[in-house]
């Protein structure tokens, strides 16, 4: 089994571009929400970006064969989650009248832990 990747194994240019795109998104959220009731939403975005980057680097240290060996089980778990949303989900109004979907379906109301 191969050792976990070192810092030289990362594509640093790709990560720099990814960080620049994420920073642009944070700036856009800040400029769209400052001075409104949604002020401070950019900090929530920054928190989720930090969590995402930490998870990305942590998962990149794993040997992908560990995940690959579990692929059939992970596929079944994903299908079960889709069926659970279909059977037990709560219809939610579409975000706009011009939306192609008539309603969104949510199994878990995530507003509590997203705030």
């Amino acid at each position: 089994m191969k050792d976990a990747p070192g810092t030289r194994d990362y594509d640093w240019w790709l990560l720099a571009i990814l960080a620049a795109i994420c920073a642009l998104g944070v700036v856009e959220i800040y400029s769209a929400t400052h001075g409104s009731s949604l002020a401070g939403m950019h900090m929530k975005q920054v928190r989720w970006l930090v969590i995402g980057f930490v998870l990305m680097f942590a998962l990149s240290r794993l040997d992908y064969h560990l995940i690959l060996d579990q692929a059939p089980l992970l596929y079944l778990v994903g299908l079960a989650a889709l069926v659970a949303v279909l059977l037990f989900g709560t219809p939610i109004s579409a975000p706009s009248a011009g939306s192609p979907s008539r309603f969104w379906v949510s199994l878990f109301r995530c507003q509590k832990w997203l705030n």
Side-chain angles (χ1 to χ4, degrees), residues 51-93:
I51 291 169
F53 272 94
V54 168
L55 284 174
M56 178 184 68
F57 281 110
L59 289 175
S60 73
R61 306 293 290 173
L62 288 177
D63 183 15
Y64 74 93
H65 291 101
L66 295 173
I67 299 171
L68 190 60
D69 293 340
Q70 301 301 321
L73 177 64
L74 294 173
Y75 181 73
L76 291 175
V77 168
L79 284 178
L82 289 172
V83 170
V85 168
L86 185 61
L87 295 177
F88 307 112
T90 305
I92 300 174
S93 300

Side-chain angles (χ1 to χ4, degrees), residues 4-114:
T7 57
R8 301 181 93 193
D9 295 330
Y10 292 117
D11 186 352
W12 291 106
W13 281 108
L14 181 64
L15 291 174
I17 292 169
L18 177 65
I21 292 171
C22 290
L24 180 64
V26 170
V27 168
E28 289 178 0
I29 291 171
Y30 173 77
S31 69
T33 59
H34 80 281
S36 72
S37 63
L38 297 174
M41 291 297 285
H42 67 287
M43 291 309 297
K44 184 188 291 188
Q45 181 73 10
V46 169
R47 278 192 305 246
W48 282 109
L49 286 173
V50 169
I51 291 169
F53 272 94
V54 168
L55 284 174
M56 178 184 68
F57 281 110
L59 289 175
S60 73
R61 306 293 290 173
L62 288 177
D63 183 15
Y64 74 93
H65 291 101
L66 295 173
I67 299 171
L68 190 60
D69 293 340
Q70 301 301 321
L73 177 64
L74 294 173
Y75 181 73
L76 291 175
V77 168
L79 284 178
L82 289 172
V83 170
V85 168
L86 185 61
L87 295 177
F88 307 112
T90 305
I92 300 174
S93 300
S96 66
S99 176
S101 63
R102 297 209 184 259
F103 61 89
W104 292 85
V105 178
S106 172
L107 181 60
F108 305 106
R109 295 290 180 131
C110 298
Q111 289 83 10
K112 291 179 183 175
W113 62 272
L114 285 177

